[in-house]
Amino acid sequence: MKAVVVEQFAPIDQIELKEIPSPRMEPGQLRIRVEAAGIGFVDGLKIEGRYQTKDSLPFIPGTEFAGVVEEAPGAPGGYQPGMRVMGMTRSGALAEEIVVRPEALHPLPDGVAAEVAASFRANYLTALYALSARAAIVAGEQLLVLGAAGGTGIAAVQIGKLLGARVIAAASTPEKREFAQTHGADAVIDYTRTDWRDTLKELTGGHGADVIFDPVGGEISVQAFRSIAWRGRHLVVGFAGGTIPALPFNLPLLKGGALLGVDLAQIPTREPDVQTRLMSELTCWLAEGRLKPVVGRVFSFDDFREAFRTMQTRGALGKMVVRTSK
């Protein structure tokens, strides 16, 4: 099979697409023919060895995929050959085949394209887990989404609207702000302006943000927390801006606010029941057409490097997807 193989931690330009043996199956596993794989910020960090944990070399990157069950001895988890699925795994998705246990999979609703499914689970589960299970957001609250045009950001915009929040999308360019409004944001903010907090204050009638969804990090995170409402919740989702902020402890005291960590990688083992419930909710919304996931750009397998480069630029809108089969 063809697969992207990381033999040493390096920039994406030094990573190659190779022909390698198909993975062997162990008892209780299934073989999936991968149709599409999503490319996220974490995937880029893992390839360069800059993520908090490192995969053992060599490895196949990619954590999110959609495809068709090819082999399922004993039908583990009730999955049968021919069933369409989407899944998440620690690595291995950027390949024509992947072998996983049934816990990594979720049935794909009829009519949902592989490209959509491959860009869905990580972003939208992160957003729903953060806003519902962590922040316990309620209808009518003010939600500020930083980095609102990125993969997790636009998911938070859409999920926030479904949960009844008033969504204020913060993004750095007119194109990104228009993108966020197209997908449901009630208002937008240019957070490259020095007076952006004044705009937020005006938009919220002096109240501030009840919930801040923050996949960005850096100084913008500290400034956002300074504009949080009393008993507000700041969701720490990631650091796409490149730096980890240092928040003065007097700010949570003065604001009565809380920092809440959101680490999707730990949910399957620490809160499996919560993950199951939230995924059921998401797939119901998906099947009913209430949720229309946003796909950024779709690339061929040969162009996987360009998918990573595009994802890493500040101009990227939504999540990048690689078609691993024609």
Side-chain angles (χ1 to χ4, degrees), residues 9 15 22 32 39 47 55 64 97 99 123 131 163 187 197 212 216 219 230 246 251 286 302 326:
F9 299 119
I15 307 302
S22 294
I32 311 300
I39 302 297
I47 284 175
D55 292 86
E64 194 170 11
E97 298 177 12
V99 168
N123 288 343
L131 296 176
L163 296 176
R197 291 176 57 214
I212 299 170
V216 176
E219 180 59 25
W230 176 251
L251 291 179
L286 194 61
D302 289 337
K326 295 180 181 179

Side-chain angles (χ1 to χ4, degrees), residues 56-129:
S56 299
L57 296 170
F59 72 95
I60 298 169
T63 58
E64 194 170 11
F65 62 93
V68 178
V69 178
E70 279 203 330
E71 295 181 54
Y79 291 101
Q80 302 279 355
M83 289 182 66
R84 301 181 69 236
V85 293
M86 56 183 167
M88 282 188 67
T89 180
R90 178 178 176 85
S91 59
L94 276 168
E96 292 179 321
E97 298 177 12
I98 190 170
V99 168
V100 294
R101 297 191 62 82
E103 294 81 12
L105 302 174
H106 200 89
L108 189 57
D110 292 339
V112 178
E115 294 90 344
V116 172
S119 64
F120 172 71
R121 185 165 172 170
N123 288 343
Y124 287 83
L125 183 56
T126 295
L128 184 58
Y129 176 75

